[in-house]
Amino acid sequence: MSPYKCQYNHRKTCCVKHRNSVGSIRTSFPIPISAEFFYFEIKIENGGKKSDIAIGLTQTDTRLNSMPGWKPFTIAYHGYNGKVYYESRGKGYGATFGTGDVVGCGLDLKNKTAFFTKNGLSYGIAKQNLPQRQWY
C-alpha cells in the first residue's frame, strides 16, 4: 500500500458514541511542500443512507472527531449537500455525491487554490488564497 492509500472500515456500533458523531481519517504523510500541484481521489464504496461523507484537506493538529471543513485551516467538499466548507463556512459548489462516485481533491500550491472533482468532472476553484501550511 502506498503512503497515500488508506482504507476505512467504520462500524458505527463499536466506535461512535452519539448518533450525530462523525469520524475522519487522514494520511500519515503530508502533501510535500515542494509539490506545486497535488491531487488525490477516493471511490465511495458505501455512502450510507445520507452520503454523510466529505473529502478535503486538514492540518496535522486537526482533530479527527469532526468533518473536514468544519474546523480552522480545513477545507472539504461534502457529499450530502454538494457544498464546500472552509473553516465552517459553507457555499454552494457542486453536485451531491455518494455510493459509486469517485471524488477528487486538488491543491495548487503555486496559486494557493483548491478544487474538487466528481467522476472526472471538475467544479472549478473552490477556494483561493489558501494559507501556506502543511496540508494533509
Side-chain angles (χ1 to χ4, degrees):
M1 197 177 282
S2 81
Y4 295 104
K5 194 169 189 180
C6 59
Q7 293 179 330
Y8 183 55
N9 296 313
H10 175 70
R11 289 191 295 149
K12 212 172 195 178
T13 55
C14 76
C15 305
V16 177
K17 295 179 182 176
H18 304 289
R19 192 180 83 186
N20 294 326
S21 294
V22 297
S24 296
I25 59 172
R26 172 179 56 227
T27 180
S28 299
F29 301 94
I31 296 170
I33 293 175
S34 61
E36 288 187 9
F37 186 85
F38 193 86
Y39 178 80
F40 67 95
E41 293 181 330
I42 62 167
K43 180 174 182 189
I44 302 168
E45 298 290 334
N46 182 344
K49 293 177 186 174
K50 297 189 283 182
S51 293
D52 207 2
I53 297 171
I55 179 175
L57 303 165
T58 66
Q59 305 296 304
T60 189
D61 58 348
T62 303
R63 295 186 58 175
L64 299 178
N65 64 347
S66 69
M67 295 278 247
W70 290 354
K71 298 292 180 186
F73 301 111
T74 67
I75 183 170
Y77 176 29
H78 288 236
Y80 61 92
N81 63 7
K83 291 184 178 182
V84 165
Y85 289 82
Y86 177 71
E87 297 185 337
S88 78
R89 291 180 297 276
K91 69 173 187 174
Y93 182 68
T96 60
F97 60 85
T99 301
D101 289 322
V102 175
V103 184
C105 175
L107 176 63
D108 182 337
L109 290 164
K110 183 178 178 184
N111 294 308
K112 300 179 182 177
T113 61
F115 70 92
F116 298 93
T117 64
K118 176 186 169 188
N119 300 323
L121 174 67
S122 174
Y123 290 109
I125 294 173
K127 176 72 178 144
Q128 296 179 319
N129 302 315
L130 284 171
Q132 186 169 358
R133 299 187 56 98
Q134 185 66 73
W135 294 100
Y136 285 78

